[in-house]
Amino acid sequence: MILNKNIILVSVLFIFLSCNNKTKLEDKSVDKKIDSSLVLNSQNWYDSLVYDYINNSENELIKLALKDNVKVEWILDQIEKTDSKNYYIFNIGQSVSDIDGTNTRFSSNGWIYIDSISKIVYEYDLPNDSLIVWNKK
């Protein structure tokens, strides 16, 4: 009888701890979704690749923003899964608003895709709807 009570107690404790760990994992994934707007001081694996792209890009809009000391930011827009690759898609630009500070919005200067396995950066070519491998110059 005592053995059965101990087994039940251990089982209930195990179930409780399992549920508690699952909740923690779910909370982390929710945090990732909420923290999709990234600035230069973030600590995700892809931030250094995006930062490198911004600082060495031939994109005229990005170069102009940097020249004018505009704070260039990026937003992790989505993760696109294909048959052979997973791309992290980033919108690069800056936050802008009207003169009085109202109507805040994100102004895009360009888009990049990063292959999550190979860590290759691709520029999105909007007119041709294609990806071009970015080569640092």
Side-chain angles (χ1 to χ4, degrees):
M1 183 85 164
I2 293 177
L3 182 62
N4 286 342
K5 286 183 180 179
N6 286 339
I7 290 174
I8 291 172
L9 180 63
V10 168
S11 298
V12 169
L13 183 60
F14 179 74
I15 291 170
F16 176 75
L17 290 174
S18 296
C19 291
N20 192 24
N21 285 342
K22 187 173 182 180
T23 302
K24 288 180 182 177
L25 290 174
E26 288 171 357
D27 287 347
K28 287 180 183 176
S29 67
V30 169
D31 288 345
K32 291 258 184 211
K33 290 178 185 173
I34 292 170
D35 188 27
S36 63
S37 177
L38 303 172
V39 293
L40 298 180
N41 294 326
S42 297
Q43 298 298 317
N44 293 304
W45 66 265
Y46 44 72
D47 288 337
S48 62
L49 294 170
V50 178
Y51 184 77
D52 192 36
Y53 172 80
I54 290 169
N55 285 315
N56 297 290
S57 177
E58 293 299 315
N59 178 315
E60 292 299 323
L61 293 174
I62 294 173
K63 287 171 39 177
L64 183 61
L66 292 174
K67 181 181 173 187
D68 291 343
N69 292 320
V70 173
K71 182 179 177 184
V72 177
E73 303 169 309
W74 57 91
I75 297 172
L76 174 56
D77 185 61
Q78 65 179 312
I79 299 171
E80 184 176 300
K81 296 180 181 188
T82 67
D83 290 339
S84 59
K85 298 183 186 216
N86 291 332
Y87 293 107
Y88 283 68
I89 303 172
F90 296 91
N91 186 354
I92 299 171
Q94 57 277 333
S95 296
V96 296
S97 62
D98 293 343
I99 294 173
D100 62 357
T102 60
N103 195 20
T104 304
R105 58 209 175 272
F106 192 81
S107 177
S108 179
N109 292 341
W111 294 82
I112 60 170
Y113 287 53
I114 300 177
D115 182 332
S116 65
I117 303 296
S118 69
K119 309 299 190 258
I120 295 174
V121 177
Y122 298 86
E123 294 177 295
Y124 178 63
D125 180 8
L126 180 63
N128 296 312
D129 190 27
S130 64
L131 298 179
I132 301 169
V133 175
W134 175 68
N135 295 311
K136 183 177 174 180
K137 295 185 182 191

